[in-house]
Amino acid sequence: QVQLVESGGGLVQSGGSLRLSCAGSGVTFSSLRMSWYRQAPGRERELVAGILVTGGYTNYADSVKGRFTISRDNTKNTVYLQMNSLKPEDTAVYYCNAFGSILGTHPMDYWGKGTLVTVSS
């Protein structure tokens, strides 16, 4: 079974940094597109950053460009989100997402349970 587990969330002051990790099991990350999403209270879940299989292409939400960096280590089945210069508006539950076809299935999304990031002012 596919399982994605996020870690690294917590409480940080405005301007601080956190590094989120997403570890996968039951799946090979090298065949999946990985992304980070976040959802704040009363807000829709939004795409924060995405990275293709090889890591050769990344994309970011305008709100985090220049501050966040997504990366992946396929040998460790792990994707990371380095978050710098954090702002209170970054406060949200951050979710790891994988997209692709596993064992011949129709391409679909797989989600972690989320990790809470709280940025205080």
Side-chain angles (χ1 to χ4, degrees):
Q1 295 182 342
V2 176
Q3 184 174 12
L4 304 175
V5 180
E6 302 95 335
S7 63
L11 175 64
V12 64
Q13 293 184 4
S14 180
S17 299
L18 286 174
R19 190 192 195 197
L20 305 183
S21 298
C22 172
S25 62
V27 60
T28 301
F29 276 18
S30 62
S31 64
L32 299 170
R33 183 180 70 206
M34 304 299 300
S35 302
W36 286 96
Y37 286 74
R38 68 185 181 187
Q39 187 168 24
R43 301 280 299 277
E44 296 289 332
R45 185 173 298 187
E46 65 174 344
L47 175 66
V48 176
I51 186 167
L52 295 186
V53 172
T54 64
Y57 176 81
T58 58
N59 65 285
Y60 299 91
D62 288 341
S63 59
V64 306
K65 286 181 179 177
R67 299 188 299 119
F68 291 10
T69 302
I70 187 172
S71 62
R72 64 192 299 164
D73 185 341
N74 290 337
T75 65
K76 297 180 179 180
N77 249 22
T78 303
V79 63
Y80 307 94
L81 185 68
Q82 179 66 46
M83 305 185 295
N84 299 325
S85 302
L86 284 162
K87 306 174 181 179
E89 50 263 46
D90 294 319
T91 295
V93 176
Y94 285 71
Y95 298 91
C96 179
N97 167 268
F99 178 81
S101 177
I102 300 176
L103 299 178
T105 63
H106 187 277
M108 61 183 294
D109 287 290
Y110 301 88
W111 296 93
K113 295 182 179 180
T115 184
L116 177 63
V117 172
T118 303
V119 184
S120 65
S121 59

